[in-house]
Amino acid sequence: MIAGAWLCLLAPLAGALLITLAGTHISRSTAAWVSTGSVFVGFAGALVAFIQIAGENPDDRSHLSTAYTWLGIGQFEVPMQILVDPVSLVMMLIITGVGGLIVWYSVGYMKGEDEERRYFAYMAFFVFSMLMLVMGGNLLLLLVGWGLVGLASYLLIGFYHDRPEATAAAKKAFIMNAIGDAAMALAFFLLISQTGTLSYSENFEFASTGALPTSTMNLVALGLLGGAIAKSAQLPLHTWLPDAMEGPTPVSALIHAATMVTAGVYLIVRTHEIFEAAPNVQHLAAIIGGVTIIVAGVIALVQWDIKRVIAYSTMSQIGYMFLAAGIGSYGYAMFHLFTHAFFKALLFLAAGVIIHHLAGEQDVRRMGGLKSVMPYTHAVFLIGALALAGIPPLSGFWSKDGIISAALADGGALGYTLVALGLVGALLTGAYTFRLYYLVFHGEPSELVLEHAGEHGSDHAHGAESAVGHDEHAHSEGPLTMLIPVGILAVLSTIAGFLAIPGVWEPFLHWIDGVAEPLVVATVSQDYATSAIAVVLAGTGIWLAQSAYRASEDLVAEGRIRTILEHKLYFDELYDALFSRPSELVANLLREKVEEPVIQGSLGEIGAGVREAGGGTARLQTGLLRSYALVIAVSVVILVVVFVAVR
């Protein structure tokens, strides 16, 4: 089992290194398949570890493997170790399984790119970084993975570095995540000062036994929450996520569906003992998640970019996970993370098929009528949309409605408020998801759609070969390397929710109980009631989207409210006024008042002084022996005088 886990961690790293070191000695196609193969090898290792650990007693499913002592300063030591338990295994399977499908999809999507090798090296490196984050056996290794994921996402979002929008989005994501990284680092420094260790087990024992002051636990939990909010794009550190759509579509699927944005949820579940020792901070996480559900949902109602709509839906669904983790429903938080990885990756990749088919177009106003032109893509997108909306029996229904029922079971003012936010979120999800669906697939085909349908149809009919190769165009909608992964994700989005049913297999919700025991469990009646209401509200949202489409209207009419939503509640403008412009002003003042006159000016003066000193020294070198003898004599006299004076 441990060998499989180490294979899972190291295989993507080996793939990234091989592509990087080989450089142009391997073809672009070879680099693509090396990256894909390395991630799937990692999946095989995770699968082996899962099969072995599933056969063990539920109380004995946590294994720590240490390779060597990585850091040692006095009594403080940090070993290089991995932790394999039910929580990390869920993440390992998602990262390598869904990640492998996304990298495989990239083989067709990125075919012909000039920097294809660099792209696939980045993808393998990103997968390794995520695995380091979730498999690291102590808090420091978690932080290392956390930082590496931020670096890898910066490289992938800014992959098209010749485009100013892409580089700006990459820097924005990096800065936002750095804020969270700093908060986490401060929390870890505080733990070291209080406990002298970054071991999971020891710090969790300190937290659960009340050995640390409440104020300390609150500060540590706040630091962890700051890191989680930044990485998972929750309010108020969410503004980087929509801009990150500037990266290639598979990058959007990998970062915003299955891996990076779920890291914050994993962090809360992994360190739940610390959050339980600071209940106010844990409840704050639930409140932030609930508010993010609504904010992201209403902004998604007015977006025209197909990828941005899906990106805001990611923010909203991560909000549900935060809500669950914040009330102690860890099983449902991880279960929604699990199902969300499938249907959100499906939606992003299906959108990528459309974008690929329409030569890069992302504005839904230029689409329409794709149902008849791209029937396969329409079918899989509809599955993803229904799963996202929480329509039974698709996967999103089982996980999202369970979160709302857990909030109802929590009760009190907080629980009922969270229930209301979750139910309104269900209505919004149905509305914005099917607004997108109808705009893209229904109606008469637009001129752009007809133009590209004719091009693809002509190529297909005459057997023309394109840049992606004849064998890959067996289907006119796109390369098979793109269509097959999308089909697999559609199947998983359909059946993944059944893991919640007792008797099918060990219920998913009980799978992680040994690691994170839930604080709240809904009754059967509460579960049925909230599920019925949520499905009705989601259906109402779908009906509203359909009615607006048939009336040739949008869900939000023109006016002040729509303007506010189109400006994303002015978060970007606010941060620009509070932080960006003052920083630029200070930087310009320092350049004008300090750098130019003091630093740059002094460099010129120092250079002139050195030249004068050199000239003076040169003049002393006369070449006359009597001059040198005189200087030596005078120097000896001075030394004698000084020596006598000191005596």
Side-chain angles (χ1 to χ4, degrees), residues 62 74 125 137 307 336 544 600 616:
S62 183
F125 175 66
K307 288 171 62 177
H336 197 48
L544 289 173
Q600 293 181 353

Side-chain angles (χ1 to χ4, degrees), residues 34-52:
V34 166
S35 182
T36 304
S38 69
V39 178
F40 277 125
V41 168
F43 176 71
L47 198 59
V48 169
F50 169 76
I51 293 172
Q52 292 178 335

Side-chain angles (χ1 to χ4, degrees), residues 156-245:
L156 285 169
I157 295 170
F159 175 75
Y160 297 120
H161 52 78
D162 55 336
R163 289 166 41 188
E165 298 86 355
T167 56
K171 288 187 287 186
K172 187 175 184 179
F174 191 84
I175 292 170
M176 282 291 186
N177 279 277
I179 296 172
D181 297 351
M184 282 184 62
L186 290 173
F188 292 164
F189 282 129
L190 184 56
L191 279 178
I192 293 172
S193 69
Q194 295 292 316
T195 67
T197 179
L198 288 177
S199 164
Y200 281 135
S201 58
E202 293 182 48
N203 279 293
F204 294 165
E205 184 177 355
F206 279 116
S208 59
T209 59
L212 296 178
T214 302
S215 58
T216 299
M217 298 314 304
N218 284 334
L219 289 173
V220 171
L222 279 172
L224 295 176
L225 181 60
I229 289 172
K231 196 70 75 181
S232 292
Q234 298 293 283
L235 291 171
L237 301 178
H238 65 288
T239 56
W240 66 269
L241 185 69
D243 292 354
M245 295 299 107

Side-chain angles (χ1 to χ4, degrees), residues 1-12 37-55 82-100 127 130-131 134-135 338 505 511:
M1 175 189 62
I2 295 299
W6 280 108
L7 176 65
C8 175
L9 175 65
L10 297 177
S38 69
V39 178
F40 277 125
V41 168
F43 176 71
L47 198 59
V48 169
F50 169 76
I51 293 172
Q52 292 178 335
I53 204 172
I82 59 173
L83 175 63
V84 183
D85 66 5
V87 173
S88 61
L89 273 171
V90 169
M91 298 299 295
M92 289 160 60
L93 290 169
I94 292 173
I95 293 165
T96 54
V98 178
V127 172
M130 270 302 305
L131 289 170
V134 302
M135 295 176 67
F338 178 75
W505 180 69
W511 170 249

